[in-house]
Each structure stands twice: as C-alpha cells, then as structure tokens.
Amino acid sequence: EKLKQQLGKINSNTRHTMESISDIVWSMHPDNEHMPRVLSRMNEFAATTLEAAGIDYSFSFEDSIPKIVLSPQKRRDLYLIFKEGINNIAKYSNATKASIRFDKTKEMLMMHIEDNGCGFDVSKGSAGNGLRNMQQRAIRNAGTCRIDSILAKGTTIDISIPYA
C-alpha cells in the first residue's frame, strides 16, 4: 500500500513536471506570440479543467485583444497565472459558474476571472504557493494582481499587465 502511494506521488510529480515543460516550450515558440493562440490555449485549458469539475463557464474578450503581441516571458506568466486561477476554481471553490474575460486599455491587458464558489479569507492566505506565485508573476511583468474573495459568495482575480 505504501509503495502504491509513493508510485502515485511519483506519477503525479512526473505529470506536473511534463506539463510545466510543455508550458515553457509552448510559451517560447514564436508562433504563439499573438493573442489568438494564447486565448485558444487558455480556453482549451478552461474547458478541460472546469467542465471536468462540473462548472459552467464563459470565456470572452474584446475584439481588439487578438491584435496584442506579448513577449515570451509575459505570455508564459499570464498563462501560468490563468492556469493557477482556473485550477483553484476547479479544486477548491465548489463553484457552479465561472467567468473569464479579457479587456484592454491603451497600455494594459486585463484578465478578470470570477467564480460563484465558497470564497476564502484572503487575509489568512493559503498553505500553498499558488496565490503568491500569481502575485509575483504579475509584479515581475510590471503588472498588478488583485484577489478579492467573499465567503459563500465567490472569488475574483484581476490581473493587469502592460502589453506594449
């Protein structure tokens, strides 16, 4: 039984490592610098993850978003922030609905992720590194990450990063 548990952990860690390598390779490929490919990959990830958890979701963006070009570092960090947010909804929120929206200003790309789940006390933080990593990735790209959550109401994640 103990061996089974250890093998399961090794399998999970290996899958996670392979997924991380795949994300890095994808983000560095020049064909993926335009937002239509980024949005498509994000939508596929949301569909796979949220639908498996029984969560209805919407995915939308302004018409001008596909014209944005992001550097490999920004593309990678934006995608990893997105994945963390979606994974958190699927694993911890007990949500039935989620909304993902992209907007922009003259200088900033904004990502808004919202769920109607159980929420959590933001001031208490969490045991993992996910929320901290989201903050650090946004800051590393001269952006901001704001996480608001209300118990029994849900959580909202707002990311802004300069795209120019």
Side-chain angles (χ1 to χ4, degrees), residues 101-120:
R101 189 180 74 244
F102 293 86
D103 299 300
K104 77 175 189 84
T105 65
K106 217 175 205 183
E107 300 165 351
M108 302 296 274
L109 172 63
M110 296 165 296
M111 179 172 63
H112 178 84
I113 302 172
E114 186 173 358
D115 70 61
N116 69 345
C118 60
F120 65 98

Side-chain angles (χ1 to χ4, degrees), residues 48-116:
T48 302
T49 306
L50 296 176
E51 288 174 6
I55 300 170
D56 289 328
Y57 79 99
S58 64
F59 188 96
S60 62
F61 52 88
E62 282 183 19
D63 291 341
S64 59
I65 298 290
K67 296 177 179 115
I68 293 174
V69 176
L70 295 175
S71 70
Q73 180 69 48
K74 285 184 181 181
R75 198 167 47 240
R76 178 178 177 269
D77 284 340
L78 181 67
Y79 183 66
L80 291 176
I81 292 168
F82 174 82
K83 278 183 66 174
E84 184 67 34
I86 297 304
N87 275 325
N88 286 347
I89 291 171
K91 288 181 182 178
Y92 308 117
S93 75
N94 295 317
T96 58
K97 294 183 185 209
S99 169
I100 303 149
R101 189 180 74 244
F102 293 86
D103 299 300
K104 77 175 189 84
T105 65
K106 217 175 205 183
E107 300 165 351
M108 302 296 274
L109 172 63
M110 296 165 296
M111 179 172 63
H112 178 84
I113 302 172
E114 186 173 358
D115 70 61
N116 69 345

Side-chain angles (χ1 to χ4, degrees), residues 2-164:
K2 190 172 184 176
L3 181 61
K4 257 187 182 176
Q5 288 176 348
Q6 288 176 331
L7 289 174
K9 203 172 204 177
I10 290 169
N11 185 25
S12 176
N13 288 341
T14 301
R15 238 181 303 123
H16 178 72
T17 301
M18 293 297 291
E19 188 177 307
S20 295
I21 291 169
S22 174
D23 290 342
I24 291 168
V25 170
W26 175 85
S27 70
M28 299 306 286
H29 198 286
D31 287 348
N32 298 324
E33 70 183 7
H34 296 281
M35 282 303 289
R37 290 207 185 212
V38 176
L39 295 169
S40 176
R41 186 168 173 105
M42 288 176 164
N43 197 18
E44 287 173 23
F45 182 80
T48 302
T49 306
L50 296 176
E51 288 174 6
I55 300 170
D56 289 328
Y57 79 99
S58 64
F59 188 96
S60 62
F61 52 88
E62 282 183 19
D63 291 341
S64 59
I65 298 290
K67 296 177 179 115
I68 293 174
V69 176
L70 295 175
S71 70
Q73 180 69 48
K74 285 184 181 181
R75 198 167 47 240
R76 178 178 177 269
D77 284 340
L78 181 67
Y79 183 66
L80 291 176
I81 292 168
F82 174 82
K83 278 183 66 174
E84 184 67 34
I86 297 304
N87 275 325
N88 286 347
I89 291 171
K91 288 181 182 178
Y92 308 117
S93 75
N94 295 317
T96 58
K97 294 183 185 209
S99 169
I100 303 149
R101 189 180 74 244
F102 293 86
D103 299 300
K104 77 175 189 84
T105 65
K106 217 175 205 183
E107 300 165 351
M108 302 296 274
L109 172 63
M110 296 165 296
M111 179 172 63
H112 178 84
I113 302 172
E114 186 173 358
D115 70 61
N116 69 345
C118 60
F120 65 98
D121 186 346
V122 178
S123 68
K124 290 186 179 178
S126 69
N129 293 319
L131 299 178
R132 183 174 38 254
N133 288 344
M134 291 169 76
Q135 296 275 356
Q136 290 172 345
R137 285 186 174 105
I139 291 167
R140 177 173 49 229
N141 290 285
T144 61
C145 174
R146 183 174 151 190
I147 300 169
D148 293 314
S149 192
I150 300 172
L151 293 174
K153 297 276 186 191
T155 301
T156 301
I157 301 167
D158 285 303
I159 306 295
S160 293
I161 60 167
Y163 61 86

